[in-house]
Amino acid sequence: MERPCVIAGNWKMHKTVSETVDFIDQLKALLEDLSERAKCREVYLSVPYTSLYAAAKQARRSALLIGAQNMHEEEEGAFTGEISYKMLKEAGAQFVILGHSERRSIFQESSSLVNKKLKKALEGQLKAILCVGESLEQREEGRTEQVVKDQLLSSLEGLDRKDLKQVILAYEPVWAIGTGKTATPCQAQQMHKFCREVLSEVWGEKAAAEMIIQYGGSVKPENTAELLKQEDIDGVLVGGASLDPQVFHLIVNFDRSVVES
Ligand code: PGA
């Protein structure tokens, strides 16, 4: 089944407003010259809250989709320091990353909290990139599949097939994030296939086949094509390598044919 290829950047806590504007101007120019093969790829950029408005404005009349990196599960209220989907949307966000491993581990976000956020985002017509992935310890203990299955099922709990169309899944092994260690294409493919099987058990084969599943964790121009050549890898979620427009553009422009099969 032909699924869209989605390349998403996640800036994390990087870039001020002026740096954002500068980056987007450069990226837009680079994207205009994409090779024919790369023109159909979807390009998402997840920026800090403070950069959202400027990023969305700067990205107008381009194919670039701007989003946020987190949100609160309530619509409004006494939650000092938090941000709601309504605020994100009005600032120009078209999607939000939820359940990133840094949110899960540093800020103790559980899958049930991620589930509440996800439901709220979808209710507000905000697309979501839902992240799941095991830690090194969990992998070494042989619990990878169980951990990912649990995260997947509890984060998506209560969603129907129609909701799933608004969700992109990102499999990001925690041990590969920001460490320079990428999962081998084979390891990643195995987990992507596993995620699709889990989805299929609950939401059926069609919904599982339609789900876009990105890989994330030390993605760079040198390993993109090899990862994306795998049958169940439909895109990448890129942290560090999305901070430089030239480098990010190389990832978007990857060429599958350079990988030997
Ligand atoms: P990285 O981050 O590409 O810097 O490893 C990926 C992510 O956290 O989404």
Side-chain angles (χ1 to χ4, degrees):
M1 136 136 237
E2 201 50 46
R3 288 175 291 267
C5 175
V6 182
I7 314 285
N10 171 18
W11 280 358
K12 311 190 179 185
M13 199 171 73
H14 293 283
K15 296 198 192 289
T16 62
V17 173
S18 59
E19 287 166 347
T20 301
V21 170
D22 194 38
F23 177 103
I24 292 183
D25 280 344
Q26 289 187 52
L27 183 65
K28 262 169 68 173
L30 289 163
L31 292 182
E32 270 170 27
D33 280 332
L34 275 186
S35 56
E36 243 355 272
R37 66 169 186 273
K39 289 220 164 90
C40 57
R41 293 176 189 158
E42 297 179 15
V43 187
Y44 288 30
L45 201 56
S46 200
V47 304
Y49 300 137
T50 44
S51 287
L52 265 179
Y53 187 74
K57 196 165 158 212
Q58 217 63 18
R60 252 182 236 153
R61 285 183 293 280
S62 80
L64 197 55
L65 236 72
I66 301 298
Q69 302 168 16
N70 182 34
M71 58 172 254
H72 193 270
E73 66 278 17
E74 296 291 336
E75 212 156 298
E76 59 183 8
F79 303 106
T80 303
E82 290 294 330
I83 195 147
S84 73
Y85 79 85
K86 274 189 176 173
M87 298 167 185
L88 296 182
K89 278 193 76 174
E90 206 176 304
Q94 288 167 283
F95 74 97
V96 60
I97 295 180
L98 294 173
H100 188 277
S101 72
E102 284 147 20
R103 300 294 321 168
R104 291 181 189 265
S105 65
I106 308 172
F107 302 97
Q108 276 82 49
E109 288 194 9
S110 63
S111 288
S112 79
L113 178 64
V114 173
N115 178 250
K116 286 189 188 136
K117 293 184 180 206
L118 188 53
K119 284 179 175 156
K120 191 48 92 180
L122 300 186
E123 200 184 295
Q125 265 104 55
L126 201 54
K127 273 182 171 221
I129 296 183
L130 168 69
C131 304
V132 295
E134 80 289 359
S135 67
L136 183 59
E137 198 189 351
Q138 290 163 335
R139 179 165 277 261
E140 284 172 353
E141 287 168 2
R143 294 198 292 127
T144 302
E145 292 195 345
Q146 195 53 53
V147 168
V148 169
K149 183 174 183 176
D150 288 349
Q151 286 179 350
L152 204 54
L153 294 182
S154 21
S155 305
L156 292 173
E157 211 245 2
L159 264 59
D160 61 24
R161 288 194 194 116
K162 190 166 94 327
D163 296 327
L164 281 201
K165 290 185 194 292
Q166 301 308 313
V167 180
I168 289 176
L169 194 63
Y171 167 65
E172 300 202 296
V174 180
W175 48 272
I177 297 179
T179 57
K181 285 186 202 151
T182 329
T184 63
C186 183
Q187 276 173 326
Q189 163 59 23
Q190 217 176 3
M191 284 310 294
H192 280 234
K193 187 161 178 269
F194 174 73
C195 289
R196 231 180 270 291
E197 281 161 12
V198 173
L199 292 171
S200 177
E201 276 166 29
V202 183
W203 290 276
E205 233 175 89
K206 184 167 181 283
E210 282 172 358
M211 176 64 84
I212 296 168
I213 311 182
Q214 297 178 313
Y215 167 80
S218 297
V219 171
K220 30 187 191 283
E222 303 77 54
N223 58 23
T224 305
E226 215 187 346
L227 286 160
L228 282 162
K229 229 185 161 181
Q230 305 300 313
E231 196 182 329
D232 289 287
I233 306 186
D234 311 312
V236 281
L237 180 55
V238 189
S242 71
L243 294 170
D244 179 317
Q246 301 277 352
V247 178
F248 189 53
H249 155 260
L250 287 177
I251 293 179
V252 177
N253 207 23
F254 77 91
D255 181 359
R256 271 193 190 92
S257 69
V258 299
V259 182
E260 296 187 5
S261 33

